[in-house]
Amino acid sequence: MKYAKIIGTGSSVPETVLSNSDLEKMVETSDEWITSRTGIKERRIADDSTAASDIAYEAAEKALRAAGLSAQQLDVIIVGTVTPDFVFPSTACIIQSRLGAKNAYAFDLMAGCSGFLYSLHVAEGIIKSGGVKKILVIGVDLLSKVTNFEDRSTCILFGDGAGAVILSASDKPGILSSILSSDGNNWGLLYVPAGGSRTPIGEEVLKNKEQYIKMQGNDVFKVAVKSMESATVEAIAKADVSAEDIDLFVPHQANYRIVEAVRRRLDFPQEKVFMNLDKYGNTSAASVPLALDEAIHKGRVREGNIVLFAAFGTGFTWGASVVKL
């Protein structure tokens, strides 16, 4: 049986740190208020000249080095993002050019904060279909570019980052299961009103700040907890493992209270949950692969361990995967 196995990871974040103390000077909020409600202490913010492809390229380079591959060995490049460099071409094609991955085909996938898990599942299917051996999967978002830093309900949550993995065809178990779901009926609870074909950017849009994220936080919270819990339970069962077999749970780093609620419902011990949202905030599609890369470098997981991923994002989209490293 052919599996899709992660053989290398990499990540990248901008240098600029925006702390809760910095936000106190920008909006009516406090470090204590932000920390108690989200668990976030700081986040990384890209400068005006940095685009999604810039930090995605850095993460990709690190993943290739970790896998011991050259870019020419890649067959496919998939980028999960909702903040591409341009409306078109795809950010994946820009990264392909910068890497010199001339033998790969490349495309973007949009599923919000679930973008990495959706991309991972698509990549697994491509490998299992045959003929493809090496795929670069990237989750990247610069949500600071679509965040209104006068809106304290959203500006405290989001940061910028990129995470990448190399998937390889293997005879050894890799991705054991994936569960993906969506509910388009709730799209209006978390979205950016303008910038697409529905409402192009114009003078009125800029005046009303409709180019920025709009979110009904309490409603999103309730759906996120329920959805991530159900997806993780299904993914564990589909992988034919038990919760006790999971060595590390790497959830979407959206909010400490969401992660903690899911952890309690699944009865996972805290030491089996990896979180770095205190340093990076919600980096959307980058969240899971960025956390995975850090967990590996910190020695929290190693080859042979079983890892559980879970994410929830705009759309709504959500999912979970069980992966053997």
Side-chain angles (χ1 to χ4, degrees):
M1 181 178 181
K2 184 182 292 183
Y3 293 95
K5 192 171 184 65
I6 293 174
I7 62 169
T9 65
S11 62
S12 178
V13 294
E15 291 185 4
T16 300
V17 176
L18 182 68
S19 68
N20 290 348
S21 297
D22 294 327
L23 284 171
E24 288 178 345
K25 303 168 187 175
M26 300 166 63
V27 292
E28 187 178 344
T29 190
S30 69
D31 173 57
E32 188 280 329
W33 191 90
I34 297 171
T35 303
S36 64
R37 285 161 176 77
T38 69
I40 301 168
K41 298 293 290 185
E42 59 188 37
R43 64 289 294 149
R44 300 299 183 95
I45 303 296
D47 60 31
D48 292 341
S49 65
T50 300
S53 67
D54 295 321
I55 60 172
Y57 167 76
E58 293 174 0
E61 286 262 272
K62 292 176 182 177
L64 283 167
R65 286 198 296 270
L69 298 178
S70 69
Q72 290 73 32
Q73 291 174 276
L74 294 173
D75 299 301
V76 187
I77 298 171
I78 307 174
V79 176
T81 187
V82 291
T83 53
D85 287 25
F86 307 105
V87 173
F88 60 84
S90 71
T91 299
C93 281
I94 296 169
I95 294 167
Q96 178 199 21
S97 174
R98 291 188 64 177
L99 288 172
K102 62 181 181 180
N103 298 312
Y105 64 86
F107 62 94
D108 288 357
L109 188 154
M110 182 184 288
C113 300
S114 306
F116 174 74
L117 291 190
Y118 269 58
S119 299
L120 197 68
H121 181 64
V122 170
E124 179 195 14
I126 293 172
I127 285 176
K128 285 187 172 181
S129 70
V132 168
K133 294 182 178 179
K134 301 290 188 294
I135 301 181
L136 169 62
V137 180
I138 304 171
V140 58
D141 272 308
L142 303 188
L143 289 183
S144 68
K145 305 284 188 176
V146 291
T147 295
N148 179 2
F149 284 92
E150 295 177 356
D151 177 7
R152 69 172 186 172
S153 67
T154 56
C155 72
I156 64 172
L157 298 173
F158 302 113
D160 303 335
V165 303
I166 305 293
L167 272 189
S168 175
S170 176
D171 294 327
K172 297 179 180 180
I175 297 175
L176 303 179
S177 70
S178 290
I179 296 293
L180 301 178
S181 298
S182 65
D183 182 0
N185 292 317
N186 288 315
W187 67 266
L189 297 179
L190 176 57
Y191 75 121
V192 175
S197 60
R198 173 71 62 189
T199 308
I201 295 292
E203 186 176 335
E204 197 67 19
V205 164
L206 298 177
K207 177 183 176 181
N208 296 325
K209 301 184 185 301
E210 293 179 333
Q211 75 273 30
Y212 295 130
I213 296 169
K214 306 293 183 184
M215 182 176 70
Q216 296 182 36
N218 288 336
D219 293 323
V220 173
F221 179 93
K222 295 172 186 175
V223 182
V225 172
K226 182 179 179 181
S227 301
M228 286 175 65
E229 178 196 9
S230 63
T232 52
V233 169
E234 285 186 64
I236 290 170
K238 186 178 179 181
D240 197 24
V241 298
S242 68
E244 290 73 26
D245 294 324
I246 303 297
D247 294 295
L248 194 68
F249 177 35
V250 181
H252 170 44
Q253 310 288 306
N255 180 309
Y256 173 80
R257 292 192 298 165
I258 291 176
V259 175
E260 182 62 12
V262 174
R263 183 195 71 78
R264 288 198 304 265
R265 291 190 180 198
L266 295 172
D267 198 27
F268 274 123
Q270 285 187 328
E271 60 268 21
K272 280 192 173 185
V273 181
F274 187 84
M275 286 194 285
N276 61 3
L277 63 84
D278 59 316
K279 297 186 295 183
Y280 304 120
N282 182 350
T283 56
S284 189
S287 174
V288 169
L290 194 160
L292 172 64
D293 185 52
E294 184 171 323
I296 290 172
H297 283 286
K298 286 188 171 181
R300 292 287 301 274
V301 283
R302 59 185 183 275
E303 187 175 354
N305 284 170
I306 296 177
V307 181
L308 170 66
F309 302 140
F312 176 88
T314 180
F316 286 145
T317 63
W318 63 92
S321 296
V322 177
V323 177
K324 188 169 186 178
L325 297 179

